[in-house]
Amino acid sequence: MSTTTPEAIKKLLENLQSDLRALSLECKKKFPPVKEAAESGIVKIKTIAARNTDVLAALKENSSEVVQPFLMGCGTKEQKITHLCLAAIQRLMSHEVVSEAAAENIINMLWQLMENGLEELKLLQTVLVLLTTNTVVHDEALSKAIVLCFRLHFTKDNITNNTAAATVRQVVTVVFERMVAEDERYKGVEHPVVVPGNSNRRSVSTLKPCAKDAYMLFQDLCQLVNADAPYWLVGMTEMTRTFGLELLESVLNNFPQVFLQHQEFSFLLKERVCPLVIKLFSPNIKFRQGSGTTASPAPVEKPYFPICMRLLRVVSVLIKHFYSLLVTECEIFLSLLVKFLDGDKPQWLRAVAVESIHRLCVQPQLLRCFCQSYDMKPHSTKVFRDIVNALGSFIQSLFIVPNQGNTSAVINPSATSNPGAPVAAQTGPGMMGVTGGVTPQPAFEYRGTWIPILSVTVQGSAKATYLEMLDKVEPPSIPEGYAMSVAFTCLLDLVRGITTMIEEELGQDESASVMDIKASPLQKETPENPQLQSESDKKEQEPVPRIVWEEMVNACWCGLLAALSLLLDASTDETATENILKAEMTMAVLCGRLGLVTPRDAFITAICKGSLPPHYALTVLNSSSGVLSNKSYSIQGQTVQIISPTSESHQQVVAVGQPLAIQPQGTVMLTAKNIQCMRTLLNLAHCHGAVLGTSWQLVLATLQHLVWILGLKPGSGGALKPGRAVEGPSTVLTTAVMTDLPVISNILSRLFESSQYLDDVSLHHLINALCSLSMEAMDMAYGNNKEPSLFAVAKLLETGLVNMHRIEILWRPLTGHLLEVCQHPNSRMREWGAEAMTSLIKAGLAFKYEQPLSQNQRLHLLLLNPLKELSNITHTDIRQKQLECVLQILQSQGDSLGPGWPLVLGVIGAIRNDQGEALIRTAFQCLQLVVTDFLPTMPCTCLQIVVDVAGSFGLQNQELNISLTSIGLLWNISDYFYQRGEAIEKELNREEAILQKQAEEKGVPLNRPFHPAPPFDCLWLCLYAKLGELCIDPRPAVRKSAGQTLFSTVAAHGTLLQHLTWHTVVWKVLFHLLDRVRESTSTADKEKIETGGGNILIHHSRDTAEKQWAETWVLTLAGVARIFNSRRYLLQSLGDFTKAWDVLLDHIHSAALSKNNEVSLAALKSFQEILQIVTPVKEFEKPETFSAIGVPGVTAPVTPTGPGRPLPRIDSLGERLGKYTGPEQITVTDEIEDSSLWWAAWNTWYKIGSESTKPPASCEKIIFIPSQPFLTALIQIFPAVYQHIKTGFSMDDLKKLGAILHGSVSVPISSDASPFILPSYTEAVLTSLQEAVLTSLDGLQKAICVGPENMQIMYPALFDLVLGFVEFSCKPPQYGKLETKHVANARFNQVSLLSNILFLSLCLYYRINLYA
């Protein structure tokens, strides 16, 4: 309720009058002067009320008179009267109607009461009301009131003491609140700046009244704490340091702005407070627990807990609020805090010191300022680093020296007496429950020292226990584990604080569009700078440069890591372990974000080591941990020995497995803590892979070893599944881990799935790490049969599959490494390399890219190129995988391969004879699919490759059926060329133009097979050339099939070729083939072949390689001759037909002289064909050219296999020969007109005849004798040749003819052949040869008869020729030194004789006719 309302004023006046009446009544008898003063006071109040409208102001103006009766009443020292008067005075105070003079009188009266020991509590109440309701009390009056309260604090009554203490605290607060209010009132008014002198009082003149009071009060508090006489609080008789320090702390904590904004107060801080604190700390600094009397001759003052604890509270406040003012002083304070953690200090001192440090550690902004103000300044103490290192050293010391001072740990006797005792034998307090039903108490246990973990504070706050014990005088007993727990919490809060702060600022930094990362000079804050400000204000105005964050991390990481690693090793509690791992992970991530590689790797290494069994030999971790062990670890310049974790803590074993090593070792055990660390590692990699960089190597190496120990094996897609160990003892897993395995496997898969969110650089780091890991696994797999680790390969596959959207950036390193894996000698390793490679290629081709693959030729080829590279690997299983992949690609993406066809066809065609039937069969299956389904979809430029690939399958020698089928495919391909010829030609021409242009731009000729033939013709030529290669295959079946296909193809589709292309066909395909076949036949083996593979018997006509090649020669020569016959009009128009004719005749000549009857006879057959004895296939009819004279054509066998035709009697013979004398001449349609060609044919015929009928020189050696069919065919050719050369036929030519006719009749008939040549009956018949000779003679005679005069002179020669035949009747013909007779049985001799008699009779008859 307000005291200025009319009702309140009226009530005040009534109460005052009532109080005065009561006072008058009480003093009526004993104190008349007081009675009179009270009555006059009533009159005065009434007068004031009646005469003034502003009653309160009038009351305040006359307050000295109004208050006087009550003061007199207090002077009576009567309790009842004093109570009444003090109540009335308080009423006046509460209505703020007390003037300065009146207030001074009141204080004097209260002082007297205090000295008399009266109404002490009421006095305190009155002082408090007086000072809190108005500001009229200043200077000496105020100091007197404050002294009054101080003196009441030191009475013998506890209630009064405590009330007075509370009043003093409140009064001190009021004094400073007045100053703050005063500053607010005068805000914005300029103040003269006075440079302070050496005098403590000189600067007071510049202060306003309230500020001056506050200054004098604070100064005297410092004096009193320092045991010096106060300047202002005159009358103080007693003071305790503890109470003074509490008051100082209260002022400093509640009113920091006063000291920051007023230079005078800043001066007090530097010159009074800080020296005082340092002085009072002296006993704590000098004291060494356990030091003997010899250490110093003078006695050392023992630390006093109440003073020390309060000093630390003051220091905490000074550091928190004023470090920017007290840079040097705070450096000293912080150094002292660090010293108080030393092991030779009392345990309670170490406990309160660690509590104080905890208060600092929950203020990350403050820590950052320490780093800026100290650690980053040259020649300055590295305060922040020392604090962190000291915490680590403190934790370490608790394990090493646990029993100094108060007991803080329990020593395990079994461990101390026998360090090498089994871990299971260690039993300390809190260690139970591993196997029992009771949950063990959280604790740290290290080398037999057991320290419990207590719940000391809430996360992120620093609620102290011993720093709040203001009522304790004696040092408290510190519970075991308390100091460790606070230090542990301190580390966690430190990590949490600085990482949260830096990451928030990093986030702001990264989101800002422009930020200057160059460090700006720090503003130097000095007491002379009037614009002092708090650090929080500075933070809002200045961006923190990145160098500060880096310095903070560099300063603290080493100490943090040492402490956290030790605690991780010692922890027996899952929650504590989780917190430690979280702290290490957080620091690793922070270091990664700041680009600090060494600390990042060190923290990750610590987590990795925690994941693996004790003393596990993992090279990559040991080399990384060397960074920490070699790094100097010091506190205030003193090197500290780091305890290395031993991993001997008692932990529950949850898994037993095989280590991943080259040499077989025993089993290793994984504990629950190992699994917990593994989960943290997975979490780190999953959530923060972007900052891991090169440390992916550490993480993945560790995970590889863990999954090996746990027995996880890769499955489809690279995911790891629980599997059974292949060798060694089986992996033993507890039920808990068995349940966890699918979860761990799932997390592992998610880890690599999350790689799709990594930036490109981070992804490369991941790929490089996996490749490096895989290389190590490959090295381990060399030279032994152990199952290799497939972790890296499987995860490369997983990573590739989830990053298909940007596969280009990782494809080359990924596939490059997998190609190396595919070449590994270990089959399991190879198998997975190929699995990964083929899966990635199939996934890459099936993936839906932003730019479709059909429009991105470069990517298409990039994806398929590794598939082609697999062809260079000799391992059959890899090639099998490769071809299966090709088959699947064809079945799923065959229609859209586009520019990838050359690569795919290259893979199919990369077969070798050493690869086995199964592989070749799979590859051929792919080719069949291509030829049957995909020829129309592929670019026409790839058709030549299809031909080459099909040809390569024909040439392979592993599977005959495939070779034969591939020839069929070539026929199908040729059919496709024929059907789609126009479209193919257009596309090839278009492509040719592009290539030609590119070649011209580069200044190089166009490099293409059979250039400069048109591209479509080149395609045909490639097909013919490939079939030509197959025609000389070592296997006769392949040669036969290829030859038939080649000549059928040329015959069927040759019309598509351009005119000039036929030149290439003749010279580079046909004649080239003939040359090679002739060469192969001449060099073929004559050794007999028993079987043709399996149980198939070979006919005697094909039982040597020579005979088989002879068949090929026959087929080839016949085919070429057929082409010359069927395409003679086209070939004649070529410029070099004469030359080609000569070459062909040469081939016929060499074949005809072959010692193989089949070849020689076929050569004459071909000779007949090219001489066009039968009409070529230009017309639709084939008239029999020489049927009138019995010359068989190409369509009928030249050699009659049965008996000769029955020859009629003499009379019928005349009729027969009479036909030749008719008027009609034998005409040959479409004959070759060029006489030079016919003369070349005559010369070839003569050479064949003369050489084949030439008798042997001796009979000693069995020689080759031409067969009767051969000689018959030879003689049958002459009439056709003669028709075209008769105009130039000379006497010499006739003599040549006579020699051949005579020689052919002289050749003896082989006894083996005679049954097939001579008839089996006794009727006189002519042999085919004899008939042919007579026909030739008859034709010649008729030609001479009707010929010009120059031919008439040939009659004598012809007569002599016939006469020579007649002479055989009395003198058998001689074949060299052999007689022309038969060695067969008598019957055949008789038949032969009859035949010769008939022949001679006809010759004689012919001669008679000739003569006539």
Side-chain angles (χ1 to χ4, degrees):
M1 181 180 175
S2 175
T3 58
T4 57
T5 59
E7 293 80 9
I9 294 171
K10 180 179 179 182
K11 190 171 183 180
L12 171 63
L13 294 174
E14 291 173 356
N15 288 336
L16 284 174
Q17 292 177 45
S18 174
D19 289 338
L20 288 170
R21 290 190 193 98
L23 178 61
S24 173
L25 187 61
E26 288 293 333
C27 298
K28 182 177 180 180
K29 296 180 180 179
K30 294 177 70 174
F31 306 105
V34 178
K35 172 182 174 298
E36 293 174 4
E39 290 174 350
S40 63
I42 292 172
V43 175
K44 182 70 175 175
I45 288 172
K46 288 181 178 179
T47 304
I48 290 171
R51 294 181 178 179
N52 296 282
T53 53
D54 189 354
V55 176
L56 293 179
L59 279 174
K60 185 172 183 180
E61 188 179 339
N62 297 284
S63 59
S64 296
E65 298 176 22
V66 174
V67 169
Q68 190 59 35
F70 298 119
L71 296 177
M72 291 174 67
C74 290
T76 62
K77 300 178 183 176
E78 288 284 337
Q79 184 178 8
K80 187 176 180 182
I81 297 172
T82 304
H83 263 292
L84 176 64
C85 293
L86 289 175
I89 291 171
Q90 287 179 19
R91 186 175 288 112
L92 287 168
M93 292 175 183
S94 61
H95 283 77
E96 299 185 34
V97 291
V98 177
S99 65
E100 190 172 339
E104 191 171 340
N105 292 334
I106 293 170
I107 289 170
N108 289 332
M109 177 271 297
L110 295 175
W111 183 274
Q112 291 173 6
L113 290 175
M114 178 270 295
E115 288 187 328
N116 291 320
L118 299 173
E119 298 297 330
E120 293 171 338
L121 294 177
K122 202 71 173 175
L123 293 180
L124 292 170
Q125 186 181 17
T126 305
V127 169
L128 194 58
V129 172
L130 174 62
L131 298 182
T132 54
T133 54
N134 56 71
T135 58
V136 296
V137 182
H138 288 293
D139 296 334
E140 283 80 4
L142 178 59
S143 69
K144 197 168 187 176
I146 294 171
V147 170
L148 182 150
C149 297
F150 269 114
R151 290 182 62 170
L152 288 175
H153 174 52
F154 295 104
T155 61
K156 294 178 181 179
D157 183 27
N158 282 336
I159 296 176
T160 304
N161 289 350
N162 293 336
T163 306
T167 305
V168 168
R169 290 188 177 91
Q170 196 162 354
V171 168
V172 170
T173 300
V174 166
V175 170
F176 279 88
E177 284 175 347
R178 285 180 178 185
M179 180 181 176
V180 173
E182 183 180 68
D183 288 343
E184 281 295 318
R185 288 199 303 274
Y186 291 98
K187 197 173 184 180
V189 179
E190 292 292 329
H191 305 291
V193 178
V194 179
V195 178
N198 292 330
S199 169
N200 295 332
R201 293 170 177 266
R202 191 173 298 171
S203 63
V204 179
S205 58
T206 63
L207 294 172
K208 296 182 179 60
C210 294
K212 180 182 176 183
D213 292 339
Y215 180 90
M216 298 304 292
L217 172 60
F218 192 78
Q219 177 181 248
D220 276 6
L221 287 175
C222 295
Q223 287 287 104
L224 290 168
V225 172
N226 200 29
D228 291 332
Y231 300 116
W232 187 59
L233 298 176
V234 180
M236 289 286 293
T237 58
E238 195 174 354
M239 181 63 175
T240 60
R241 274 184 177 159
T242 53
F243 189 48
L245 288 170
E246 288 176 25
L247 293 175
L248 287 177
E249 181 205 351
S250 174
V251 171
L252 293 170
N253 195 40
N254 293 328
F255 303 100
Q257 70 274 25
V258 168
F259 296 88
L260 292 169
Q261 294 170 1
H262 291 273
Q263 204 169 347
E264 297 83 0
F265 284 84
S266 303
F267 180 80
L268 280 180
L269 273 183
K270 290 183 73 71
E271 299 299 324
R272 293 300 180 84
V273 177
C274 292
L276 173 62
V277 171
I278 293 169
K279 173 188 171 184
L280 294 178
F281 264 138
S282 179
N284 305 284
I285 298 169
K286 295 176 182 177
F287 180 77
R288 293 286 183 270
Q289 182 169 282
S291 59
T293 55
T294 57
S296 174
V300 177
E301 185 180 355
K302 191 175 182 181
Y304 185 48
F305 171 75
I307 298 292
C308 183
M309 179 261 293
R310 287 167 175 80
L311 282 173
L312 287 173
R313 289 170 64 95
V314 171
V315 164
S316 296
V317 174
L318 287 174
I319 293 171
K320 178 179 179 180
H321 294 299
F322 309 112
Y323 67 90
S324 57
L325 288 177
L326 310 171
V327 176
T328 306
E329 291 81 0
C330 285
E331 183 178 345
I332 296 170
F333 296 150
L334 291 167
S335 299
L336 288 175
L337 279 177
V338 169
K339 283 186 180 295
F340 291 163
L341 294 178
D342 287 350
D344 53 11
K345 295 292 187 285
Q347 289 300 315
W348 62 263
L349 179 56
R350 300 178 81 189
V352 291
V354 81
E355 284 185 346
S356 301
I357 289 176
H358 190 198
R359 286 187 169 183
L360 303 178
C361 289
V362 295
Q363 303 176 67
Q365 305 288 351
L366 190 62
L367 296 174
R368 186 185 65 201
C369 294
F370 291 165
C371 189
Q372 288 175 289
S373 302
Y374 307 121
D375 293 64
M376 295 179 69
K377 295 293 178 66
H379 313 299
S380 174
T381 307
K382 308 299 181 189
V383 172
F384 177 56
R385 186 196 67 192
D386 286 348
I387 289 173
V388 179
N389 290 353
L391 280 171
S393 180
F394 175 70
I395 290 170
Q396 179 175 316
S397 69
L398 294 177
F399 287 115
I400 297 176
V401 195
N403 58 347
Q404 285 192 357
N406 292 3
T407 302
S408 63
V410 175
I411 304 299
N412 188 334
S414 65
T416 53
S417 60
N418 182 9
V423 176
Q426 300 177 0
T427 53
M431 289 296 289
M432 64 183 216
V434 174
T435 55
V438 182
T439 304
Q441 182 180 354
F444 294 114
E445 189 270 330
Y446 183 81
R447 291 184 179 175
T449 302
W450 185 86
I451 303 175
I453 304 173
L454 308 179
S455 178
V456 293
T457 183
V458 180
Q459 174 181 311
S461 66
K463 184 179 180 182
T465 300
Y466 298 101
L467 281 175
E468 301 296 334
M469 289 184 175
L470 297 172
D471 56 337
K472 299 287 185 182
V473 176
E474 291 301 319
S477 175
I478 310 297
E480 60 178 275
Y482 177 78
M484 173 65 82
S485 302
V486 174
F488 175 43
T489 309
C490 198
L491 286 177
L492 298 180
D493 285 338
L494 174 72
V495 171
R496 188 181 304 110
I498 63 173
T499 51
T500 303
M501 173 188 70
I502 293 176
E503 285 183 352
E504 283 179 1
E505 293 171 354
L506 266 175
Q508 295 167 6
D509 185 18
E510 291 165 359
S511 62
S513 57
V514 178
M515 178 174 181
D516 184 11
I517 60 168
K518 195 173 180 181
S520 58
L522 295 172
Q523 183 182 4
K524 188 175 181 180
E525 303 288 357
T526 62
E528 289 77 22
N529 186 353
Q531 300 300 321
L532 298 173
Q533 54 188 354
S534 68
E535 188 64 22
S536 60
D537 296 332
K538 262 174 69 177
K539 173 184 174 292
E540 291 173 5
Q541 295 178 14
E542 294 181 9
V544 179
R546 190 182 184 95
I547 192 172
V548 179
W549 305 329
E550 293 176 3
E551 179 59 36
M552 283 191 78
V553 175
N554 280 325
C556 72
W557 77 264
C558 191
L560 275 175
L561 181 58
L564 291 172
S565 298
L566 179 61
L567 291 174
L568 177 62
D569 190 49
S571 172
T572 61
D573 175 58
E574 185 177 344
T575 305
T577 303
E578 189 65 34
N579 288 331
I580 297 166
L581 289 170
K582 186 177 180 183
E584 289 185 337
M585 182 179 79
T586 307
M587 283 302 296
V589 172
L590 179 61
C591 295
R593 291 194 67 184
L594 292 174
L596 303 174
V597 175
T598 302
R600 177 200 67 196
D601 289 357
F603 280 106
I604 292 174
T605 301
I607 301 174
C608 292
K609 281 197 162 185
S611 305
L612 293 167
H615 313 299
Y616 195 87
L618 190 50
T619 310
V620 66
L621 297 185
N622 294 335
S623 59
S624 299
S625 60
V627 175
L628 178 61
S629 58
N630 296 331
K631 190 172 178 67
S632 59
Y633 181 157
S634 62
I635 304 171
Q636 298 178 350
Q638 301 298 314
T639 303
V640 177
Q641 179 65 37
I642 302 177
I643 297 183
S644 60
T646 62
S647 298
E648 292 177 357
S649 306
H650 184 76
Q651 289 288 326
Q652 181 180 5
V653 175
V654 295
V656 178
Q658 292 287 310
L660 177 57
I662 298 176
Q663 298 301 325
Q665 300 175 358
T667 56
V668 290
M669 294 179 288
L670 288 177
T671 64
K673 189 195 290 184
N674 293 141
I675 301 298
Q676 198 175 357
C677 293
M678 180 185 181
R679 283 176 172 273
T680 302
L681 199 59
L682 288 168
N683 187 27
L684 167 68
H686 183 262
C687 300
H688 307 287
V691 300
L692 290 183
T694 53
S695 56
W696 271 111
Q697 178 76 24
L698 303 171
V699 174
L700 296 176
T702 305
L703 291 176
Q704 174 182 244
H705 283 260
L706 286 168
V707 299
W708 181 268
I709 295 169
L710 291 170
L712 294 173
K713 307 295 178 187
S716 60
L720 296 171
K721 305 294 182 187
R724 188 173 57 81
V726 175
E727 56 194 354
S730 298
T731 302
V732 179
L733 305 172
T734 62
T735 307
V737 173
M738 285 297 291
T739 308
D740 268 358
L741 277 186
V743 178
I744 291 172
S745 172
N746 199 20
I747 296 173
L748 268 169
S749 291
R750 287 208 309 273
L751 159 60
F752 291 93
E753 286 170 14
S754 67
S755 65
Q756 62 188 296
Y757 306 114
L758 296 177
D759 59 83
D760 292 352
V761 176
S762 302
L763 181 61
H764 267 294
H765 280 304
L766 172 58
I767 295 293
N768 289 341
L770 282 170
C771 290
S772 176
L773 208 59
S774 178
M775 290 293 288
E776 291 178 14
M778 288 166 65
D779 291 342
M780 290 176 66
Y782 275 111
N784 62 63
N785 296 321
K786 281 189 65 176
E787 184 181 8
S789 171
L790 302 170
F791 173 82
V793 176
K795 295 310 169 186
L796 277 172
L797 170 58
E798 263 193 308
T799 306
L801 289 175
V802 298
N803 286 282
M804 279 296 164
H805 59 287
R806 49 172 173 179
I807 196 66
E808 286 180 80
I809 66 166
L810 57 89
W811 190 250
R812 293 187 192 280
L814 188 62
T815 55
H817 175 73
L818 289 176
L819 281 170
E820 292 183 40
V821 177
C822 291
Q823 299 175 55
H824 197 275
N826 186 294
S827 59
R828 181 84 171 131
M829 180 73 79
R830 281 201 311 273
E831 175 193 346
W832 259 96
E835 173 69 25
M837 177 75 86
T838 53
S839 298
L840 286 170
I841 293 169
K842 287 184 287 188
L845 292 173
F847 189 78
K848 304 297 182 187
Y849 299 94
E850 289 184 10
Q851 182 184 7
L853 210 54
S854 57
Q855 301 172 19
N856 191 346
Q857 179 176 345
R858 191 178 64 81
L859 178 58
H860 210 149
L861 296 177
L862 181 71
L863 291 172
L864 284 170
N865 195 57
L867 191 64
K868 178 176 176 289
E869 294 293 330
L870 286 173
S871 303
N872 300 325
I873 298 171
T874 56
H875 298 290
T876 308
D877 52 347
I878 299 300
R879 293 280 288 123
Q880 188 69 35
K881 280 270 187 187
Q882 176 201 31
L883 291 170
E884 288 171 1
C885 175
V886 169
L887 194 57
Q888 291 168 357
I889 289 172
L890 289 174
Q891 290 166 346
S892 57
Q893 276 97 32
D895 293 332
S896 57
L897 279 176
W901 273 112
L903 291 174
V904 172
L905 292 171
V907 172
I908 297 172
I911 58 168
R912 296 190 304 274
N913 286 326
D914 60 348
Q915 290 178 335
E917 291 182 19
L919 199 60
I920 291 173
R921 203 173 289 117
T922 305
F924 190 65
Q925 191 179 353
C926 298
L927 178 63
Q928 285 179 304
L929 188 61
V930 170
V931 174
T932 53
D933 290 3
F934 298 116
L935 287 181
T937 66
M938 69 172 64
C940 290
T941 50
C942 298
L943 293 174
Q944 181 185 329
I945 306 174
V946 178
V947 171
D948 291 338
V949 172
S952 65
F953 277 98
L955 293 169
Q956 58 79 32
N957 59 19
Q958 293 293 302
E959 180 65 65
L960 177 62
N961 286 335
I962 286 180
S963 294
L964 297 174
T965 312
S966 69
I967 295 170
L969 287 182
L970 286 170
W971 170 258
N972 294 342
I973 293 168
S974 72
D975 232 13
Y976 172 75
F977 291 171
Y978 184 75
Q979 293 165 7
R980 298 283 298 272
E982 188 177 345
I984 295 173
E985 187 171 12
K986 284 182 181 178
E987 185 176 338
L988 288 176
N989 288 338
R990 188 168 57 249
E991 190 68 28
E992 174 90 353
I994 296 171
L995 294 174
Q996 186 69 43
K997 185 178 179 182
Q998 292 174 351
E1000 289 173 0
E1001 290 174 355
K1002 295 177 182 177
V1004 295
L1006 185 62
N1007 184 17
R1008 176 168 56 74
F1010 302 108
H1011 189 70
F1016 185 50
D1017 285 12
C1018 286
L1019 193 57
W1020 280 107
L1021 289 172
C1022 289
L1023 177 67
Y1024 296 156
K1026 189 57 67 175
L1027 284 168
E1029 284 184 54
L1030 290 165
C1031 287
I1032 55 171
D1033 190 88
R1035 295 161 296 178
V1038 174
R1039 293 199 299 270
K1040 183 174 182 179
S1041 177
Q1044 291 170 343
T1045 304
L1046 171 62
F1047 297 119
S1048 299
T1049 305
V1050 175
H1053 308 315
T1055 53
L1056 294 180
L1057 296 178
Q1058 293 192 14
H1059 185 67
L1060 293 176
T1061 306
W1062 272 98
H1063 181 274
T1064 309
V1065 173
V1066 169
W1067 289 100
K1068 292 190 177 180
V1069 178
L1070 301 180
F1071 284 163
H1072 178 68
L1073 175 60
L1074 275 173
D1075 288 338
R1076 297 189 65 181
V1077 170
R1078 179 168 62 184
E1079 180 185 350
S1080 299
T1081 305
S1082 63
T1083 58
D1085 191 2
K1086 298 179 176 59
E1087 187 176 344
K1088 188 175 182 180
I1089 303 171
E1090 294 298 333
T1091 59
N1095 297 318
I1096 301 174
L1097 295 176
I1098 298 178
H1099 190 264
H1100 67 86
S1101 64
R1102 298 287 180 263
D1103 61 357
T1104 68
E1106 185 182 34
K1107 292 177 181 177
Q1108 293 171 348
W1109 272 105
E1111 181 189 24
T1112 305
W1113 199 359
V1114 168
L1115 181 65
T1116 307
L1117 191 57
V1120 174
R1122 191 180 310 121
I1123 290 171
F1124 262 76
N1125 185 30
S1126 62
R1127 304 291 178 198
R1128 66 186 173 87
Y1129 305 105
L1130 180 68
L1131 297 178
Q1132 272 185 271
S1133 62
L1134 296 176
D1136 56 354
F1137 180 73
T1138 304
K1139 183 180 176 183
W1141 180 260
D1142 290 340
V1143 172
L1144 181 58
L1145 290 176
D1146 178 64
H1147 277 285
I1148 290 174
H1149 171 248
S1150 58
L1153 296 178
S1154 169
K1155 299 294 190 288
N1156 184 290
N1157 286 324
E1158 183 182 4
V1159 174
S1160 57
L1161 186 59
L1164 296 182
K1165 236 170 107 178
S1166 300
F1167 201 179
Q1168 286 183 337
E1169 184 155 6
I1170 65 166
L1171 294 179
Q1172 300 174 350
I1173 293 170
V1174 175
T1175 306
V1177 191
K1178 179 179 179 185
E1179 293 77 20
F1180 295 101
E1181 297 180 8
K1182 294 185 179 180
E1184 296 182 2
T1185 310
F1186 284 93
S1187 58
I1189 53 173
V1191 179
V1194 77
T1195 53
V1198 175
T1199 306
T1201 55
R1205 299 188 305 278
L1207 198 64
R1209 301 284 179 187
I1210 297 300
D1211 52 343
S1212 60
L1213 177 63
E1215 293 175 10
R1216 176 179 174 80
L1217 292 175
K1219 293 179 181 179
Y1220 292 101
T1221 60
E1224 292 184 7
Q1225 298 295 318
I1226 301 172
T1227 58
V1228 180
T1229 58
D1230 301 320
E1231 64 263 24
I1232 301 171
E1233 299 299 338
D1234 193 337
S1235 63
S1236 63
L1237 300 180
W1238 283 103
W1239 279 107
W1242 157 253
N1243 290 330
T1244 302
W1245 183 86
Y1246 170 69
K1247 284 190 285 184
I1248 295 172
S1250 60
E1251 291 179 32
S1252 60
T1253 59
K1254 183 179 179 181
S1258 66
C1259 59
E1260 294 176 1
K1261 188 176 180 182
I1262 298 300
I1263 57 172
F1264 175 77
I1265 300 174
S1267 67
Q1268 290 296 302
F1270 170 80
L1271 295 171
T1272 304
L1274 178 67
I1275 302 304
Q1276 286 173 343
I1277 292 171
F1278 171 73
V1281 176
Y1282 178 73
Q1283 290 299 318
H1284 297 276
I1285 63 171
K1286 60 185 177 181
T1287 55
F1289 198 76
S1290 65
M1291 184 65 70
D1292 290 337
D1293 296 324
L1294 180 59
K1295 290 179 180 178
K1296 292 178 182 177
L1297 173 65
I1300 292 172
L1301 293 176
H1302 187 276
S1304 62
V1305 175
S1306 302
V1307 174
I1309 301 174
S1310 169
S1311 59
D1312 295 336
S1314 56
F1316 303 99
I1317 295 171
L1318 300 174
S1320 57
Y1321 42 85
T1322 57
E1323 184 182 355
V1325 293
L1326 292 175
T1327 65
S1328 297
L1329 174 60
Q1330 293 165 345
E1331 187 177 348
V1333 170
L1334 287 174
T1335 304
S1336 298
L1337 289 173
D1338 188 63
L1340 184 60
Q1341 182 264 331
K1342 289 184 178 181
I1344 293 173
C1345 183
V1346 297
E1349 189 174 342
N1350 61 343
M1351 291 189 69
Q1352 302 296 320
I1353 59 172
M1354 294 183 185
Y1355 270 117
L1358 184 60
F1359 191 84
D1360 290 339
L1361 177 61
V1362 176
L1363 186 59
F1365 291 136
V1366 174
E1367 289 178 356
F1368 288 165
S1369 62
C1370 55
K1371 183 181 180 182
Q1374 293 288 316
Y1375 186 66
K1377 294 185 178 182
L1378 292 175
E1379 257 187 61
T1380 307
K1381 61 180 181 178
H1382 301 285
V1383 292
N1385 56 41
R1387 189 175 63 86
F1388 284 115
N1389 283 335
Q1390 183 183 7
V1391 173
S1392 176
L1393 181 61
L1394 287 173
S1395 178
N1396 284 334
I1397 291 170
L1398 180 60
F1399 174 66
L1400 296 174
S1401 300
L1402 287 174
C1403 287
L1404 184 60
Y1405 177 76
Y1406 177 79
R1407 182 183 177 192
I1408 292 168
N1409 285 343
L1410 182 64
Y1411 183 79

